[in-house]
């Protein structure tokens, strides 16, 4: 796998900031930046824990592996509800 954007010409913090200013807009519902799953590209496990970082979870649309065909609002609310249940269950198991 190779980097697509911003590419090798973006080498400094100033270059990165300039790239973000020029290309940082979005035209869709952003999802998938912290993909949940079991494959090597997954960032979050099935308990919403970020792999390799203790005591940090992600509970939002970024855990969706890909953009759904419909609006992301309802699935995000569902994930938040389920995420709250998972966090409460894990906390109760520690007591």
């Amino acid at each position: 796998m190779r980097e697509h954007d911003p590419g090798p010409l973006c080498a400094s913090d100033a270059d990165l900031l300039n790239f973000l200013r020029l290309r940082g807009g979005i035209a869709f519902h952003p999802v998938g930046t912290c993909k949940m799953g079991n494959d090597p590209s997954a960032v979050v496990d099935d308990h919403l824990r970020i792999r390799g970082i203790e005591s940090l979870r992600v509970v939002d649309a970024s855990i969706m592996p890909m953009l759904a065909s419909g609006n992301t609002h309802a699935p995000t609310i569902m994930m938040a509800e389920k995420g709250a249940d998972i966090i409460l269950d894990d906390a109760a198991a520690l007591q």
Side-chain angles (χ1 to χ4, degrees):
M1 212 158 129
R2 64 187 172 107
E3 179 179 347
H4 182 277
D5 271 331
L9 297 178
C10 186
S12 69
D13 287 348
D15 291 341
L16 184 57
L17 188 57
N18 188 50
F19 172 81
L20 292 173
R21 283 188 179 123
L22 293 173
R23 304 274 308 273
I26 58 171
F28 61 94
H29 298 287
V31 303
T33 57
C34 291
K35 177 185 165 187
M36 181 172 65
N38 295 320
D39 60 276
S41 67
V43 176
V44 178
D45 69 11
D46 62 347
H47 279 242
L48 308 173
R49 298 174 295 222
I50 295 182
R51 299 180 192 282
I53 300 178
E54 191 173 332
S55 301
L56 183 60
R57 298 179 195 240
V58 175
V59 187
D60 62 21
S62 64
I63 67 171
M64 291 179 172
M66 63 182 62
L67 185 60
S69 61
N71 194 297
T72 58
H73 181 75
T76 302
I77 291 172
M78 181 210 60
M79 287 185 294
E81 289 285 336
K82 182 63 176 174
D85 290 341
I86 291 170
I87 292 167
L88 289 171
D89 289 346
D90 287 352
L94 294 174
Q95 296 180 11

